[in-house]
Amino acid sequence: MALRINDTAPDFTADTTEGKINFHEWIGDGYAVMFSHPKDFTPVCTTELGTMAGMTQEFAKRNAKIIGISVDPVEDHHRWKADIKTVTGNDVSYPMIGDPKLEVAKLYDMLPAAAGDSSEGRTPADNATVRTVFIIGPDKKVKLSLTYPMTTGRNFDEILRALDSIQLTANHQVATPANWKHGEDVIITPAVSNEDAKERFGEFEAVLPYLRKTKMPG
């Protein structure tokens, strides 16, 4: 069954480079960004893991934990870390899930049930769909999912931007327009009347009857 936004993120127990975790317990009362990879020692993924390693403090400021997953054993992940540092200069300090039986990849609908039960002998092309980023909220529900082709490196500034929007809109009755960045004007949701909007946000601009813009709250 496909995993959709607002579905509960499936819980699981798995070995990681930081020891065994229960996913929901590990998330705790904050947000989690889980991003997946089809194979260790692949070029694009090497740059991605290192880029995220350099952004851990930015995510931490937003009460968000980072966790990677690749369909290879944890032992391989530990060896991969050296290459990641060589390429990007960053140490991977966040956990990386080992998924050699493809259990988590299947649980998150990134591989079909017919994919087998072992990563051994599988090529990156066999696992090409294990390229999804999930943002999961404190309520353990999926807030965002993005799947990239293997040849396209992910833009983690966009993930950070989306997280800013998700957290802002969870706390206020606003939405964010296209290409919005933190600090820019936001959209008042249709559920808020003009009278309530004035009380809650002060001045606002009615661009269209259904599109009202105001300063970012807070």
Side-chain angles (χ1 to χ4, degrees):
M1 183 179 292
L3 192 62
R4 299 181 176 88
I5 288 175
N6 290 328
D7 285 350
T8 298
D11 197 13
F12 59 86
T13 299
D15 290 324
T16 79
T17 50
E18 304 296 317
K20 184 166 283 190
I21 66 161
N22 173 273
F23 189 50
H24 281 191
E25 287 181 6
W26 178 83
I27 293 173
D29 60 0
Y31 285 77
V33 179
M34 182 170 73
F35 65 117
S36 64
H37 305 276
K39 197 77 178 166
D40 290 10
F41 306 104
T42 50
V44 172
C45 296
T46 300
T47 66
E48 292 175 334
L49 287 155
T51 298
M52 277 296 257
M55 298 175 71
T56 52
Q57 291 305 311
E58 285 302 315
F59 284 95
K61 287 176 189 175
R62 294 156 171 84
N63 194 26
K65 295 178 177 179
I66 299 168
I67 192 163
I69 174 172
S70 179
V71 290
D72 277 316
V74 166
E75 294 77 13
D76 289 355
H77 296 354
H78 281 297
R79 292 190 294 111
W80 194 12
K81 284 184 180 183
D83 287 354
I84 294 164
K85 181 162 187 186
T86 296
V87 170
T88 65
N90 296 323
D91 286 307
V92 176
S93 58
Y94 53 81
M96 296 165 61
I97 299 165
D99 193 27
K101 294 183 179 179
L102 313 180
E103 293 171 333
V104 180
K106 290 180 184 179
L107 190 64
Y108 276 74
D109 195 40
M110 295 184 287
L111 283 175
D117 58 5
S118 175
S119 63
E120 194 170 339
R122 293 179 64 87
T123 67
D126 294 329
N127 305 327
T129 51
V130 189
R131 287 281 297 159
T132 303
V133 180
F134 296 96
I135 295 180
I136 298 162
D139 57 1
K140 313 303 182 288
K141 294 187 183 297
V142 175
K143 306 301 181 183
L144 172 146
S145 65
L146 286 171
T147 303
Y148 289 73
M150 289 194 300
T151 50
T152 301
R154 288 172 263 208
N155 184 337
F156 291 108
D157 288 333
E158 165 59 12
I159 305 304
L160 203 63
R161 185 197 76 89
L163 179 62
D164 282 339
S165 172
I166 288 164
Q167 293 184 335
L168 177 69
T169 59
N171 294 319
H172 304 277
Q173 284 188 292
V174 297
T176 56
N179 296 332
W180 174 87
K181 295 182 180 66
H182 189 272
E184 295 179 348
D185 288 356
V186 298
I187 294 168
I188 301 168
T189 60
V192 179
S193 69
N194 286 340
E195 292 74 20
D196 287 344
K198 286 179 183 177
E199 184 176 335
R200 295 183 63 162
F201 305 112
E203 295 299 317
F204 64 87
E205 178 189 2
V207 182
L208 293 167
Y210 58 86
L211 201 168
R212 298 162 297 166
K213 299 180 74 174
T214 189
K215 298 294 182 187
M216 188 184 92

